[in-house]
Amino acid sequence: MQNVMIVGAGKGGTAILKILLETDMLNVEAVIDRHRDAPGILLAQKEGIKTSTNWLPILLENIDIVIEVTGDDSVFQELRNIKNKNTVLIPGSVAYLISRLMEEKEELIKKHQNESYQHDLIFNSINDGMVVIDQNGMIILFNRRAEEMMDVTKEVAVGKHVSKVINDSRLPHILETRRIETNQEMLLENGRKIITTRIPIIEENGTLIGAFAVFKDITEVVNLAEEITDMKEIQTMLQAIIQSSDDAISVVNESGQGILINPAYTRITGLTQEQVIGKPATADISEGESMHMKVLQTRRAVRGVAMRVGPIEREVIVNVAPIIVKGILKGSVGVIHDMSEIKSLSRELNRARQIIRTLEAKYTFLDIIGTSEEMVLAIEQAKLGAKTPATVLLRGESGTGKELFAHAIHNESDRKYNKFIRVNCAAISETLLESELFGYEEGAFSGARRGGKTGLFEEANNGSIFLDEIGELSANTQAKFLRVLQEREVLRVGGTKPVPINVRVITATNVNLEKGIANGSFREDLYYRLNRMPIHIPPLRNRKEEIPILCERLIQKINRDYGRNVESVTEAAMIQLMEYDWPGNVRELENILGRAIIFMNYYETAIDIQHLPELKNVKNNRELTPSGIEIQPQGKSLSEMLEQFEGKIIQQTLNRLNGNKTLTAKTLGLSVRNLYYKLEKLNLEINSTQ
């Protein structure tokens, strides 16, 4: 490869340098110019070529060709005198000629590119497909719309015969006949239907140089017509839906002006079409901000917004969503729900739920009313117990709602879809209870059913069994019950083969089981099996603040049972109910309210004091110990009197310390656990804190 030195880095030298940079035959060794900022010098430096203001040192190196483009004849003569005989010197006139030719070439190329770009821009911007062929039938132009219609790219089509790209093309026929064909229908291979016009291209001297076809996809026109038809049908359907909807519907445009409302809107708001259509979206608002305007500003839907609308200030719930078509906001649509109807439906639903629960004898924790500390604690313990398979012992006086808790525990557990068997141990005779609980085999006793009978424990398999009045079980039944708890299996009366069971046991009692253990009527080992999770339900006298809520719920129940419409209890009657100690607890309260409602006149809607029977708290004769603590000595043993005395001390200390059990235990020198044991054993009940 020959080395070249360019002397002169002006316009001509720069043109020569650009030419030489594009060839691999020559290597530009250096560019010389006395001006360091000459364009050729800057280009050479960018390309990593040696530059200088003095050509003499470089000329003495291995330079094969020197191109002089300074235009100075003295420089040319000096270079010719100094160069060696093997170095070729090209004068500036030749370089200048080459430079001019290069400039003209670049101008022609640029002009051709501009014209070609303009032609392509026009050719591809039209919405019709266009194909141009030469006199030999070869495709020379194929615009973008033609690509889309025929599913063929320009690169594939150009240069091929038209018949290989478009089957059954009549452009070759146009070349033969030189006649124009207009508005001809044609079906393409991809199923598109087009209308095409074919025209020959003939010069002024009559020479045929080609032909072209312009075609339009009429599939779009057909689809557009179908879409318009479908849109009209959809519009008719939507109008029918909107007009028949019971929910109020309003539509506004992008400016927030009303364009559509339905009859339900007029019914709920009291506003007619004349008062809404064409008016601002705020026209129907009587309280609150317009959700239509908010949605138009944010382009986001809003739901469940409470507000008041119309001249009657109807309380409603509003849902509004934007109408966006191809990214453009067109308006918003709002749906208005009448709150009075929702509240009415909610009341009916709650009444229906109560009726269903009554029919199914099912209760949940929602049915248990409790706001006092002890009641809330009992409910929380019951919810915890429902999540575990442990045996639950419900303790409390008669009428406190132990069975209600048993139902709720079952319904809160993972066994809620299985059976819930309820057994009152005190209501079944001792001779029948064993066979009812455990079942019996055929011939186990006289009168036994043929084939035997499945016991209640087996019936409750995979479910729950509730044993009320568990303290009334006989010693023999207690022993068999203990086996069920320990071994998880039952042995039928007269049977020899145990039957495995998986049953959740919930028990309840209103007696002191600890006293039963002491006098031998209740097994101690069974007690410890049952007492794994004891839940104490406080009596009503310890939670009198709940009486108003209980009255409201019980009145609803009695109204359903008796077909009455009693609404409340008067303040005077409520005071009398609050002063009573309720030894029969909630059951007695229900009895009193039911009796009062029965004897009320049908036009009366509130229970007053004259409807209630006389309620008097029973007070026993009492004696005081020397320390001032009351005891009842009549007919009691020493141990019983000591228990009573101990209970009075604990209760007196609790009262003095405002019911703080932790501080009470510390004052009496007991552990908190031991204090709770004594409270339960001695049946001490008091509103207290930890």
Side-chain angles (χ1 to χ4, degrees):
M1 184 180 295
Q2 293 180 315
N3 295 325
V4 178
M5 180 176 71
I6 300 174
V7 180
K11 188 174 181 180
T14 303
I16 296 296
L17 177 59
K18 288 180 180 180
I19 295 172
L20 296 180
L21 288 174
E22 294 177 359
T23 180
D24 295 332
M25 301 296 295
L26 300 173
N27 175 49
V28 180
E29 182 69 21
V31 177
I32 310 299
D33 197 286
R34 59 187 175 184
H35 300 292
R36 295 184 180 276
D37 57 351
I41 293 293
L42 298 178
L43 177 60
Q45 290 174 348
K46 182 179 179 181
E47 297 293 333
I49 298 172
K50 186 186 300 181
T51 61
S52 179
T53 57
N54 186 7
W55 47 263
L56 182 59
I58 300 174
L59 181 63
L60 299 178
E61 297 178 1
N62 186 23
I63 298 298
D64 300 306
I65 300 173
V66 177
I67 302 175
E68 187 274 323
V69 284
T70 62
D72 189 343
D73 186 63
S74 61
V75 174
F76 178 78
Q77 294 298 330
E78 188 176 357
L79 286 170
R80 187 174 62 177
N81 295 333
I82 296 177
K83 75 176 184 65
N84 58 47
K85 63 180 181 178
N86 294 325
T87 301
V88 177
L89 177 63
I90 298 176
S93 57
V94 175
Y96 177 75
L97 178 62
I98 293 173
S99 172
R100 289 294 301 163
L101 290 174
M102 285 297 300
E103 288 178 357
E104 291 180 6
K105 174 186 175 183
E106 289 180 357
E107 289 177 359
L108 288 172
I109 291 173
K110 187 174 181 180
K111 182 178 180 182
H112 176 72
Q113 286 177 343
N114 288 336
E115 291 177 352
S116 177
Y117 174 75
Q118 291 175 356
H119 291 160
D120 288 344
L121 184 62
I122 296 171
F123 194 58
N124 288 317
S125 63
I126 62 176
N127 196 41
D128 294 336
M130 185 176 290
V131 177
V132 181
I133 62 173
D134 61 15
Q135 66 271 24
N136 298 318
M138 308 301 290
I139 296 175
I140 57 175
L141 288 174
F142 199 82
N143 76 343
R144 187 176 295 112
R145 191 73 180 107
E147 290 181 306
E148 295 173 359
M149 292 187 195
M150 298 186 180
D151 297 328
V152 178
T153 63
K154 175 182 177 181
E155 291 74 18
V156 173
V158 173
K160 290 185 179 179
H161 196 275
V162 66
S163 60
K164 293 184 178 180
V165 177
I166 307 172
N167 289 339
D168 302 326
S169 173
R170 289 182 58 81
L171 283 178
H173 179 71
I174 299 300
L175 294 176
E176 295 175 2
T177 63
R178 297 192 175 195
R179 291 183 178 179
I180 299 173
E181 293 182 353
T182 60
N183 299 327
Q184 300 295 306
E185 187 174 311
M186 182 177 181
L187 184 66
L188 300 178
E189 287 185 347
N190 58 12
R192 291 180 182 268
K193 188 177 289 187
I194 62 174
I195 293 292
T196 179
T197 296
R198 309 179 185 97
I199 302 173
I201 304 173
I202 303 174
E203 291 185 333
E204 292 181 357
N205 58 10
T207 303
L208 178 70
I209 61 174
F212 71 93
V214 180
F215 44 91
K216 183 183 292 290
D217 187 358
I218 63 172
T219 306
E220 296 179 359
V221 178
V222 174
N223 290 340
L224 182 60
E226 291 177 352
E227 286 180 7
I228 292 173
T229 304
D230 291 342
M231 285 180 65
K232 289 182 178 179
E233 292 178 356
I234 292 171
Q235 183 180 12
T236 303
M237 187 182 302
L238 285 176
Q239 286 180 345
I241 293 172
I242 291 172
Q243 296 300 319
S244 63
S245 174
D246 286 335
D247 289 327
I249 299 174
S250 68
V251 183
V252 302
N253 59 20
E254 64 273 17
S255 302
Q257 294 179 328
I259 58 175
L260 176 66
I261 63 172
N262 67 343
Y265 179 91
T266 300
R267 174 174 55 82
I268 292 176
T269 64
L271 297 172
T272 63
Q273 288 193 356
E274 292 74 16
Q275 294 173 297
V276 177
I277 303 301
K279 301 296 191 296
T282 56
D284 60 351
I285 307 300
S286 57
E287 182 180 315
E289 64 173 320
S290 172
M291 290 300 103
H292 276 301
M293 300 307 298
K294 183 174 181 180
V295 168
L296 292 176
Q297 292 171 1
T298 63
R299 298 170 68 100
R300 292 184 178 180
V302 295
R303 297 186 180 277
V305 179
M307 58 195 313
R308 294 183 181 274
V309 296
I312 58 177
E313 297 187 358
R314 181 68 63 87
E315 187 178 359
V316 296
I317 292 292
V318 178
N319 298 330
V320 182
I323 302 173
I324 299 176
V325 181
K326 295 183 179 180
I328 300 173
L329 182 67
K330 294 293 185 179
S332 64
V333 57
V335 179
I336 300 175
H337 303 282
D338 189 353
M339 277 295 292
S340 60
E341 294 180 3
I342 295 174
K343 289 179 179 178
S344 176
L345 290 173
S346 179
R347 286 194 297 268
E348 290 180 9
L349 178 60
N350 288 332
R351 284 198 295 267
R353 284 175 176 169
Q354 293 294 334
I355 292 171
I356 291 171
R357 287 174 185 164
T358 302
L359 293 173
E360 296 180 351
K362 299 290 184 182
Y363 303 99
T364 67
F365 284 110
L366 295 176
D367 297 300
I368 300 176
I369 296 174
T371 57
S372 65
E373 180 183 350
E374 288 182 305
M375 196 64 178
V376 171
L377 176 61
I379 293 172
E380 292 301 321
Q381 289 176 337
K383 287 181 179 180
L384 180 62
K387 302 301 181 184
T388 66
T391 302
V392 175
L393 176 59
L394 300 171
R395 307 192 67 168
E397 296 178 6
S398 179
T400 52
K402 297 186 289 298
E403 183 169 349
L404 197 66
F405 269 81
H407 278 270
I409 290 171
H410 173 76
N411 281 331
E412 190 78 7
S413 70
D414 55 4
R415 300 171 182 261
K416 61 183 176 181
Y417 298 113
N418 296 314
K419 287 186 177 181
F420 178 64
I421 305 296
R422 302 178 297 280
V423 183
N424 190 321
C425 300
I428 305 176
S429 65
E430 182 181 343
T431 55
L432 293 177
L433 183 60
E434 184 177 355
S435 60
E436 288 294 322
L437 287 177
F438 308 111
Y440 56 82
E441 298 289 353
E442 182 178 353
F445 50 83
S446 177
R449 183 188 300 176
R450 179 176 295 179
K453 180 185 176 184
T454 301
L456 295 176
F457 275 109
E458 291 182 65
E459 288 285 342
N461 192 36
N462 295 321
S464 302
I465 187 169
F466 172 52
L467 301 177
D468 199 4
E469 306 294 351
I470 193 69
E472 304 299 325
L473 291 178
S474 66
N476 183 45
T477 307
Q478 288 181 35
K480 297 195 72 171
F481 182 32
L482 179 62
R483 176 180 176 82
V484 172
L485 295 177
Q486 289 178 334
E487 306 298 334
R488 293 292 174 181
E489 61 185 21
V490 295
L491 186 64
R492 293 183 178 181
V493 176
T496 58
K497 184 178 179 181
V499 179
I501 59 170
N502 175 23
V503 64
R504 166 69 175 276
V505 178
I506 305 172
T507 61
T509 184
N510 61 357
V511 301
N512 193 327
L513 296 181
E514 291 78 7
K515 287 184 180 180
I517 295 172
N519 59 33
S521 63
F522 199 83
R523 295 178 63 105
E524 185 175 5
D525 49 0
L526 178 59
Y527 169 79
Y528 290 122
R529 281 284 179 181
L530 298 177
N531 202 42
R532 284 187 175 177
M533 190 159 194
I535 298 174
H536 181 74
I537 304 173
L540 185 56
R541 62 180 174 274
N542 285 359
R543 50 189 181 103
K544 289 185 178 181
E545 67 272 20
E546 298 172 4
I547 290 178
I549 309 174
L550 286 168
C551 287
E552 181 181 348
R553 181 69 65 86
L554 291 173
I555 288 173
Q556 292 176 3
K557 178 179 180 295
I558 297 168
N559 281 337
R560 289 194 302 270
D561 294 341
Y562 295 167
R564 300 296 294 269
N565 193 29
V566 177
E567 297 178 356
S568 61
V569 179
T570 64
E571 185 176 352
M574 184 60 70
I575 291 173
Q576 184 170 340
L577 294 177
M578 295 287 285
E579 290 177 350
Y580 187 52
D581 283 342
W582 302 105
N585 295 293
V586 180
R587 185 180 292 122
E588 183 181 4
L589 176 61
E590 183 178 5
N591 176 272
I592 295 296
L593 294 175
R595 191 190 313 173
I597 291 174
I598 289 173
F599 290 104
M600 287 174 62
N601 294 316
Y602 274 89
Y603 60 83
E604 294 177 310
T605 59
I607 298 175
D608 206 348
I609 193 167
Q610 70 267 18
H611 300 127
L612 299 176
E614 187 177 1
L615 301 175
K616 291 185 177 181
N617 294 323
V618 179
K619 296 185 178 180
N620 297 326
N621 293 327
R622 297 174 178 176
E623 296 181 5
L624 297 178
T625 64
S627 60
I629 297 177
E630 298 177 342
I631 61 171
Q632 298 174 348
Q634 292 87 353
K636 292 188 177 181
S637 65
L638 178 61
S639 62
E640 290 175 336
M641 292 176 64
L642 286 174
E643 281 188 1
Q644 182 182 356
F645 187 71
E646 182 182 26
K648 294 296 181 180
I649 292 175
I650 293 174
Q651 191 166 25
Q652 188 182 68
T653 307
L654 277 168
N655 293 337
R656 181 165 54 86
L657 298 175
N658 296 322
N660 190 317
K661 293 179 180 178
T662 303
L663 189 56
T664 299
K666 185 176 180 181
T667 302
L668 297 176
L670 301 173
S671 66
V672 176
R673 181 188 294 273
N674 195 7
L675 176 62
Y676 272 97
Y677 171 77
K678 289 182 180 294
L679 290 173
E680 184 177 348
K681 178 182 177 182
L682 300 174
N683 283 331
L684 295 180
E685 297 147 356
I686 186 169
N687 288 327
S688 57
T689 62
Q690 297 298 318

